């Protein structure tokens, strides 16, 4: 997922311990990650335009049910093959946010989130970065850990930029 050029800029990183928010900012963009619900907000400082990584009011969506509702709140939707050879789907909200199994770190212009699906035995590291041209996100595929469940596919930021019910 790419907005802009990744070869430029260092951002100012700040972790607000009072609100559980990690903030990155450069001259053009601000990227905030709320650790409570694992939501990203990208703001273009030149025009005030805001993109959200999840459907902000997704849990209140009257048309979605079950996993479809928690998918709206997820950075990752993962399809995997269980040890019993059954194809299954999960998401980062259900298995990581609710269980508080995401580890965050910050390095210059990048937030790394390691999504630990502990009950399923796998973890997926993801990097979110800002540049002076935009935003990038990438799965660190070399450092994915799998147990007896095999990951078949990962959807990264499936609802990035989606509107909520009041938009």
């Amino acid at each position: 997922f790419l907005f802009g050029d990744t070869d430029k800029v260092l951002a100012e990183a700040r972790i607000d311990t009072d609100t559980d928010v990690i903030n990155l900012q450069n001259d053009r963009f601000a990227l905030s990650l709320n650790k409570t619900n694992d939501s990203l907000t990208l703001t273009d400082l030149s025009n005030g335009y805001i993109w959200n990584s999840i459907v902000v009011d997704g849990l209140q969506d009257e048309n979605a049910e079950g996993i479809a509702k928690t998918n709206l709140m997820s950075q990752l939707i993962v399809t995997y093959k269980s040890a019993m050879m059954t194809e299954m789907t999960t998401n980062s909200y259900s298995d990581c946010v609710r269980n508080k199994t995401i580890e965050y770190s910050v390095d210059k212009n990048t937030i790394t989130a390691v999504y630990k699906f502990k009950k399923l035995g796998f973890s997926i590291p993801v990097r979110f970065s800002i540049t002076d041209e935009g935003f990038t996100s990438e799965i660190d595929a070399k450092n994915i850990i799998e147990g007896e469940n095999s990951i078949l596919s990962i959807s990264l930021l499936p609802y990035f930029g989606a509107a909520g019910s009041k938009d």
Side-chain angles (χ1 to χ4, degrees), residues 103-122:
E103 292 180 2
Y104 299 98
S105 61
V106 179
D107 181 35
K108 298 178 184 172
N109 63 333
T110 301
I111 300 168
T112 299
V114 179
Y115 296 88
K116 296 186 174 194
F117 296 78
K118 287 191 174 187
K119 292 178 184 176
L120 300 172
F122 54 80

Side-chain angles (χ1 to χ4, degrees), residues 76-100:
L76 302 172
I77 298 174
V78 182
T79 303
Y80 65 96
K81 187 176 287 186
S82 72
M84 302 296 291
M85 303 304 283
T86 304
E87 191 172 301
M88 310 284 288
T89 300
T90 189
N91 61 57
S92 58
Y93 186 82
S94 294
D95 281 327
C96 302
V97 173
R98 285 184 173 164
N99 295 319
K100 299 182 184 340

Side-chain angles (χ1 to χ4, degrees), residues 3 6 10-11 13-15 19 30 36-37 47-48 57 62 65 82 90 115 121 144 146 156 166:
F3 275 104
T6 62
L10 292 180
R14 185 170 48 84
I15 300 174
T19 61
T36 303
N37 66 357
N47 61 22
D57 58 355
E62 295 174 4
E65 294 181 15
S82 72
T90 189
Y115 296 88
I144 290 175
E146 295 175 279
L156 175 60
K166 295 177 178 137

Side-chain angles (χ1 to χ4, degrees), residues 31 44 89 145-146 165:
L31 178 66
D44 185 331
T89 300
I145 297 171
E146 295 175 279
S165 64

Side-chain angles (χ1 to χ4, degrees), residues 12-56:
E12 177 182 328
R14 185 170 48 84
I15 300 174
D16 187 338
T17 54
D18 293 333
T19 61
D20 239 6
V21 174
I22 300 171
N23 295 296
L24 299 179
Q25 185 172 328
N26 60 27
D27 292 337
R28 172 98 189 269
F29 293 97
L31 178 66
S32 297
L33 186 143
N34 182 326
K35 292 167 51 175
T36 303
N37 66 357
D38 190 49
S39 65
L40 289 167
T41 302
L42 179 67
T43 305
D44 185 331
L45 300 173
S46 68
N47 61 22
Y49 197 82
I50 296 172
W51 295 271
N52 290 300
S53 65
I54 62 172
V55 177
V56 176

Side-chain angles (χ1 to χ4, degrees), residues 118-135:
K118 287 191 174 187
K119 292 178 184 176
L120 300 172
F122 54 80
S123 67
I124 302 169
V126 178
R127 290 188 289 266
F128 306 106
S129 303
I130 58 171
T131 72
D132 55 358
E133 297 297 322
F135 165 76

Side-chain angles (χ1 to χ4, degrees), residues 50-75:
I50 296 172
W51 295 271
N52 290 300
S53 65
I54 62 172
V55 177
V56 176
D57 58 355
L59 293 179
Q60 286 74 44
D61 188 314
E62 295 174 4
N63 297 312
E65 294 181 15
I67 193 168
K69 191 171 277 204
T70 56
N71 281 350
L72 297 172
M73 302 296 294
S74 296
Q75 309 294 25

